[in-house]
Amino acid sequence: MNKRSIILAALAMGSVSLPGMAFAQYGNSPFYDHTVELSQAYGLEVIGLRLDLAAAFSPPYDDELAETIEGVTGAALARFSGTLEDRDPELATALAAALDEVAEIAEGESDEDPAEAIAEARELLEQAYAVVIPAELRDQAAFKGGVIINLLLAEGGVAEGYEEAVENNEPWEYPNGWAALQRVKALWEEVKDSASAERLADGQEMLDLLDTLYPEAQPPAVVAGLNPEEAESPAQRLGGIVEEVTDADLYPDRDLPKLMGHLAEMTTAACAVYPQNADIAAESIYAVYDLFATHLADVSGMFAPELQENASELFGSMIVAEDDDDDDDGAASAEDEEEDDDGDDDQLSGTDACGELAEAFTELRAVLGG
């Protein structure tokens, strides 16, 4: 359960008061101003991390690691593939083919040189990044801050990779956290110039702590007895430091009613796009899902459990909402919607599911006071 969100919800609704607690004010709000773009960037980054893992190890891969690498063709790609297809169809086709090749190598179904396949996929992925995320946005410190916080705290990131490996005895989740940390360190180098001497030292201290938990990509021989939460504290502290350095609010759960209202508006806008382009509409739904599942689902369940359950179930008709490693394309296509309409009446089309989700979010917005 997201205890942070529950406490903040109680604060927002006036039922809890913490002496001396004040919310910081920053000049930028990337999770509000660039919600979809941050989700798209997360998809691009996740694919990059999986390519890093494919390069860090050699075939034949461990079965669990292979499954992670195969995810280059899954929901991470669906986070931005609609926009890429719309802006550069040839690049979209080339990237999909290159990622398929990497996935086939991971599966042991291709004899192609892994290094060459990974290098080609990296080059095309970088081109796709430039097409999907405008350079002026990608270069903004606040936007980089949003990317960093996702790499630190999102599913498969620095904190979660360590927790999953230790708590659930899934050692091959560990390399995911290691790869994310290497990317965090690279992005920190890009934003740290504006840090004060104190914050520069604090940030490096947190990175050094995380390096002791992730000394290499190889999972520890034994995870039993380790503290699954050990990466959480330095990751959270580093997130707070990055906020100051980039002058960006990177914790949208500080105002849950506002966040719920934002997601309701985004969902309504996505619904208008669904009939014309389901893939692009689904990109917005991925962004909405991330923020809802991370910050609002538990709190909504406290105040309106039926609405929360209904909203959570509706995501599954539009996107791959639970497992980013799934080989599904991650979103309902227009053809899928037609098949749904002609087939099982219990299976909602993406368009219909979006409409119902928008209604549920509008009601949750009222419940939470947004």
Side-chain angles (χ1 to χ4, degrees):
M1 179 170 288
N2 190 334
K3 294 179 180 178
R4 172 189 168 90
S5 291
I6 292 173
I7 292 172
L8 288 169
L11 283 165
M13 304 197 63
S15 57
V16 172
S17 177
L18 299 182
M21 184 172 184
F23 294 144
Q25 299 295 316
Y26 296 100
N28 301 280
S29 300
F31 283 98
Y32 286 95
D33 298 334
H34 304 292
T35 313
V36 176
E37 291 91 340
L38 273 175
S39 175
Q40 293 170 329
Y42 178 62
L44 288 154
E45 293 284 347
V46 165
I47 291 175
L49 297 182
R50 287 168 177 169
L51 294 176
D52 290 344
L53 291 176
F57 296 88
S58 299
Y61 299 107
D62 177 273
D63 288 346
E64 291 185 20
L65 178 60
E67 184 178 348
T68 296
I69 296 170
E70 290 164 28
V72 295
T73 63
L77 180 60
R79 287 175 177 271
F80 64 87
S81 58
T83 294
L84 182 61
E85 175 68 30
D86 183 63
R87 296 177 183 175
D88 193 333
E90 291 184 6
L91 177 57
T93 299
L95 176 61
L99 295 176
D100 281 339
E101 184 63 45
V102 172
E104 288 179 5
I105 291 171
E107 294 167 358
E109 297 179 357
S110 172
D111 295 327
E112 294 295 320
D113 182 347
E116 291 183 6
I118 293 166
E120 180 182 2
R122 283 190 198 279
E123 181 179 348
L124 293 169
L125 184 69
E126 183 58 34
Q127 293 177 31
Y129 217 137
V131 170
V132 175
I133 309 296
E136 59 271 19
L137 176 59
R138 188 177 177 184
D139 290 341
Q140 286 182 11
F143 189 80
K144 290 179 181 178
V147 174
I148 290 173
I149 204 74
N150 276 337
L151 291 170
L152 284 170
L153 302 177
E155 190 71 26
V158 175
E160 290 294 321
Y162 193 85
E163 180 178 350
E164 290 294 320
V166 175
E167 188 170 64
N168 297 327
N169 194 26
E170 297 178 357
W172 285 100
E173 293 292 328
Y174 179 93
N176 297 335
W178 172 85
L181 178 58
Q182 309 319 303
R183 182 63 177 143
V184 166
K185 290 191 288 187
L187 288 169
W188 171 251
E189 289 295 318
E190 296 179 15
V191 302
K192 72 178 187 180
D193 287 347
S194 59
S196 65
E198 180 181 5
R199 281 293 170 250
L200 193 61
D202 291 342
Q204 191 58 53
E205 181 184 1
M206 295 305 103
L207 289 172
D208 290 344
L209 270 172
L210 290 168
D211 269 335
T212 65
L213 301 177
Y214 286 110
E216 59 181 357
Q218 185 70 33
V222 179
V223 296
L226 298 177
N227 177 6
E229 300 292 337
E230 197 162 0
E232 179 74 20
S233 179
Q236 291 281 7
R237 289 179 63 191
L238 181 57
I241 294 165
V242 172
E243 275 197 314
E244 287 193 35
V245 172
T246 61
D247 189 27
D249 179 3
L250 304 180
Y251 292 90
D253 59 357
R254 286 190 172 104
D255 189 339
L256 292 181
K258 176 184 176 182
L259 181 59
M260 189 72 255
H262 178 61
L263 297 191
E265 292 171 1
M266 281 197 61
T267 304
T268 299
C271 293
V273 177
Y274 245 110
Q276 289 76 43
N277 194 319
D279 293 331
I280 288 181
E283 292 179 3
S284 291
I285 300 302
Y286 271 108
V288 168
Y289 173 76
D290 290 343
L291 293 170
F292 180 75
T294 302
H295 303 298
L296 287 160
D298 289 336
V299 175
S300 298
M302 292 176 61
F303 294 105
E306 291 185 4
L307 280 174
Q308 182 274 329
E309 182 178 1
N310 183 41
S312 296
E313 290 177 352
L314 287 166
F315 282 108
S317 295
M318 295 176 281
I319 62 173
V320 176
E322 296 297 333
D323 185 4
D324 252 357
D325 293 337
D326 198 300
D327 286 338
D328 193 291
D329 68 0
S333 66
E335 290 80 4
D336 292 334
E337 291 187 20
E338 291 177 5
E339 291 176 5
D340 288 339
D341 289 340
D342 295 336
D344 187 354
D345 291 338
D346 293 334
Q347 178 64 45
L348 289 173
S349 70
T351 301
D352 291 340
C354 188
E356 291 196 18
L357 182 63
E359 292 178 8
F361 275 179
T362 299
E363 294 182 54
L364 283 171
R365 179 180 189 174
V367 170
L368 296 180

